[in-house]
Amino acid sequence: MADASKSATVAAPHEFQRSLRSRLLEDYGILLVVVGMAVVLSILQPDYFLSAQNLTNIVRQIGMNALLALGLYIVIVTAGIDLSVGSVMALSIMLLAMADKAGAPWPLVLLVGPFVGTLIGVINGLGLTLLRLPHPFIMTLGTLNAVRGLCNLVSGGQPVSGISDEVRFIGIADIPLPFGGEFAVIPVSAILLLVCYAGVAWFMKKVALGRHIFAVGGNPQAARVSGINVNGVLVFVYAASGFFAGLAALLMAGRTGSGYPNLGIGAELDAIAAVIIGGASFFGGRGSVLGVFAGVLVMGLLRNGLNLMNISAFWQQTLIGVIIILAVWIDVLRRNSGTRT
Amino acid sequence: MQASAGSGRDQILLEARGITKYFGAVTALEGVNLKLSRGEVLGVVGDNGAGKSTLMKVLSGLFRPSEGEILIQGQPVQFNSPRDSHKAGIEMVYQDLALAGNMPIFENIYLGREPGRRVGGLTIVNHAESRKLAAEHLARLQIHVKSVDQNVEDLSGGQRQAVAIARATAFDAKVVIMDEPTAALAIKEVGKVLDLIKRLKDHGVGVILISHRMDDVFYVCDRVMAIFHGRNFAEAPLKDTNRNEVIGWIMGTKGHAAGLAHDKVH
């Protein structure tokens, strides 16, 4: 014991530098992977990959996963999980499509998704804290099924098409750039993503509640005795996750112009994958918004690149599986080298 | 940490009267009394399961007592959460330290009480201010760390204990309760923590020290009280007792004359 403490004291300055370096790696390492993928793709597909059309395509394609992953990130920081986001998104899109068809004013329709999502998120949070279910996996597995069922019940399992242009604006509209030709546009959805990501990054860093989310993930007991309302924080994170699932529904409603009850089956797993590839710890307390974005981009670029090269979608799935395992394994190696034993 | 003006050294800071705590059919505490003055270090001893930690959790607002009352400077108070006891100036340093290892030192010190601007129900944390305050506070307590930005998980056991104590005293605490602060430390770190307790005492803070280590108790405490089977068993100023007597109290025996001690050298 004396020996261990001695070596710990002696090694302290190195450790601090090392932990700083590993923290930098933790935050930005995955961005290197993104850049690497982009370079490889632009070499393999020089004419097409960097074209304005393809880039805006990528941005549109990653939108849904980006929003779901952002919500899941907040939950995963507390060492939680939200399996219900795919179903929440489906119920949201059906309700907003039905509200739109029923002639509700469009500003109200825009609010349907985020409202429904937040509501179910609060229910998830209350199930975890009030019912004291042993793990969020169970509560959200319950809502994954229950909400998907509700979605089919309200819609009769039938898609609703013909969503109005005002409601579709966020998901489909482009803002043309003054240069670069016909396809040089910024999709409105990209601006939405940017605002959401920057907002969450700021919130998690600067707002006390954001710091409390990290504290709950790091040591819930410490958070509790520090006077933090741990249950309140938990309800908040599931509400946030639901909110972003509702927002994703709005995005998809715009992109496709219709609500369909099978939307987002399995989407929660893609979102979890992006968060984990982005370096967030499944055990809570660790992970950055930038990392999540990089994780989303890795998955997006992989799909885009394999599509451009006409490689089968089955390979995409296989590769994403391998990348999840690799990303977490690299994380394990990095952590082992960074901690004293 | 500031001494309130005009208060005498023997002023009672904290008093617990007749504290009783049931957990279902189990009686953890029964009619326990406790008094603590300014600048006093009270050692609380007792065997495992005697009720020391339960008593401290009652005093720090984590448990509500089934019966009995708590008075702060003569005023009855009721704690419904640790937040209430913080407001009354009682801080607890937990045995398991209760620090978030994934967060830096300065954030741990101000966790739950971050300095910043309140905007519509949210607090926008002023991290620069928090860093500065933490560094100043650590300097005041003569706690040395590389940087307040170090994550707590990168610190040694003694440094973590020091951070936990720094957190407990960051907000003008009147009373600091420490649950086995030296139990997990390397020997050379124990002295530093005990000296830190003496420094708190010099600042007028009342300290309750729960410890199994007689060396600690006899190094820093002014008075020692023993709890046995959830009740007050014995109590004495340190100068009027000795190690063997206190060890006897822990085991539930009184009148343990020094002459009977097994380690007496004749």
Side-chain angles (χ1 to χ4, degrees), chain A residues 228-270:
Chain A
I228 293 171
N229 178 352
V230 173
N231 285 349
V233 169
L234 289 175
V235 172
F236 174 82
V237 299
Y238 289 94
S241 173
F243 170 84
F244 284 115
L247 212 53
L250 188 58
L251 212 65
M252 292 308 287
R255 237 181 91 187
T256 61
S258 57
Y260 42 108
N262 284 342
L263 174 68
I265 291 179
E268 60 281 344
L269 299 179
D270 265 6

Side-chain angles (χ1 to χ4, degrees), chain A residues 1 5 13 15-16 19 23 202 205-208 211-212 214-215 218-219 222 224-228 285-286 340, chain B residues 82-83 86 94 98-99 102-103 107 111-112 114 123-125 127 147 149-151 153-155 167 184-186:
Chain A
M1 174 131 188
S5 90
E15 260 162 31
F16 183 44
S19 86
R23 232 178 295 169
W202 177 81
K205 227 182 189 72
K206 294 286 182 188
V207 177
R211 305 312 297 160
H212 296 170
F214 275 97
N219 185 347
R224 194 166 291 120
V225 301
S226 301
I228 293 171
R286 273 179 192 78
R340 55 171 179 262
Chain B
R83 202 179 271 270
H86 290 164
Y94 290 87
L99 299 169
N102 61 326
M103 298 176 85
E107 286 203 78
L111 190 59
E114 295 83 358
T123 303
I124 298 171
V125 184
H127 285 301
S147 152
D149 283 301
Q150 259 179 300
N151 273 0
E153 65 201 353
D154 296 330
L155 301 178
R167 187 176 84 189
L185 300 190

Side-chain angles (χ1 to χ4, degrees), chain B residues 52-112:
Chain B
K52 298 167 302 199
S53 290
T54 307
L55 177 61
M56 297 313 139
K57 282 175 180 166
V58 168
L59 293 179
S60 67
L62 212 58
F63 293 159
R64 233 178 295 184
S66 309
E67 286 162 32
E69 59 175 353
I70 299 169
L71 296 96
I72 306 274
Q73 290 172 319
Q75 299 298 314
V77 288
Q78 200 164 24
F79 299 149
N80 294 317
S81 78
R83 202 179 271 270
D84 294 343
S85 70
H86 290 164
K87 276 185 199 144
I90 299 181
E91 295 281 346
M92 174 116 182
V93 179
Y94 290 87
Q95 192 170 6
D96 48 14
L97 295 183
L99 299 169
N102 61 326
M103 298 176 85
I105 293 171
F106 75 93
E107 286 203 78
N108 267 283
I109 290 178
Y110 293 101
L111 190 59

Side-chain angles (χ1 to χ4, degrees), chain A residues 313-325:
Chain A
F314 301 147
W315 273 112
Q316 297 176 19
Q317 202 175 13
T318 310
L319 275 173
I320 283 172
V322 171
I323 284 179
I324 293 171
I325 295 168

Side-chain angles (χ1 to χ4, degrees), chain B:
Chain B
M1 291 247 319
Q2 283 152 330
S4 44
S7 48
R9 183 167 164 104
D10 51 352
Q11 185 196 336
I12 304 292
L13 270 181
L14 169 70
E15 184 173 0
R17 285 187 192 153
I19 300 291
T20 298
K21 177 71 187 173
Y22 305 112
F23 292 106
V26 178
T27 307
L29 295 172
E30 199 171 348
V32 175
N33 299 310
L34 177 149
K35 276 184 190 176
L36 181 72
S37 307
R38 281 196 70 233
E40 183 185 35
V41 182
L42 169 67
V44 175
V45 299
D47 211 346
N48 289 342
K52 298 167 302 199
S53 290
T54 307
L55 177 61
M56 297 313 139
K57 282 175 180 166
V58 168
L59 293 179
S60 67
L62 212 58
F63 293 159
R64 233 178 295 184
S66 309
E67 286 162 32
E69 59 175 353
I70 299 169
L71 296 96
I72 306 274
Q73 290 172 319
Q75 299 298 314
V77 288
Q78 200 164 24
F79 299 149
N80 294 317
S81 78
R83 202 179 271 270
D84 294 343
S85 70
H86 290 164
K87 276 185 199 144
I90 299 181
E91 295 281 346
M92 174 116 182
V93 179
Y94 290 87
Q95 192 170 6
D96 48 14
L97 295 183
L99 299 169
N102 61 326
M103 298 176 85
I105 293 171
F106 75 93
E107 286 203 78
N108 267 283
I109 290 178
Y110 293 101
L111 190 59
R113 297 175 288 195
E114 295 83 358
R117 245 168 351 111
R118 288 196 63 81
V119 180
L122 293 174
T123 303
I124 298 171
V125 184
N126 185 341
H127 285 301
E129 174 79 1
S130 178
R131 266 192 197 92
K132 188 172 102 18
L133 288 174
E136 286 170 4
H137 182 59
L138 290 173
R140 211 161 33 234
L141 292 174
Q142 298 170 35
I143 297 169
H144 304 289
V145 291
K146 288 262 155 343
S147 152
V148 291
D149 283 301
Q150 259 179 300
N151 273 0
V152 164
E153 65 201 353
D154 296 330
L155 301 178
S156 73
Q159 286 175 313
R160 283 183 213 198
Q161 190 71 58
V163 170
I165 293 171
R167 187 176 84 189
T169 53
F171 288 89
D172 294 346
K174 295 188 185 95
V175 175
V176 174
I177 302 170
M178 296 190 200
D179 191 357
E180 300 279 4
T182 59
L185 300 190
I187 288 170
K188 67 170 187 174
E189 292 184 317
V190 170
K192 287 186 183 169
V193 169
L194 295 179
D195 287 336
L196 192 50
I197 294 173
K198 287 195 161 177
R199 234 166 278 138
L200 298 182
K201 175 184 157 75
D202 295 341
H203 283 98
V205 177
V207 178
I208 298 177
L209 173 70
I210 299 176
S211 188
H212 268 104
R213 299 167 59 121
M214 288 303 120
D215 287 347
D216 297 1
V217 171
F218 279 79
Y219 183 70
V220 290
C221 292
D222 301 303
R223 196 154 53 87
V224 58
M225 72 177 255
I227 294 180
F228 185 71
H229 288 185
R231 299 176 198 201
N232 287 90
F233 187 74
E235 185 176 334
L238 206 76
K239 59 179 167 36
D240 298 339
T241 184
N242 58 59
R243 286 166 197 241
N244 288 313
E245 188 178 34
V246 174
I247 290 168
W249 292 348
I250 293 174
M251 296 185 295
T253 55
K254 264 183 199 166
H256 204 86
L260 294 173
H262 61 87
D263 61 347
K264 178 88 179 172
V265 180
H266 294 282

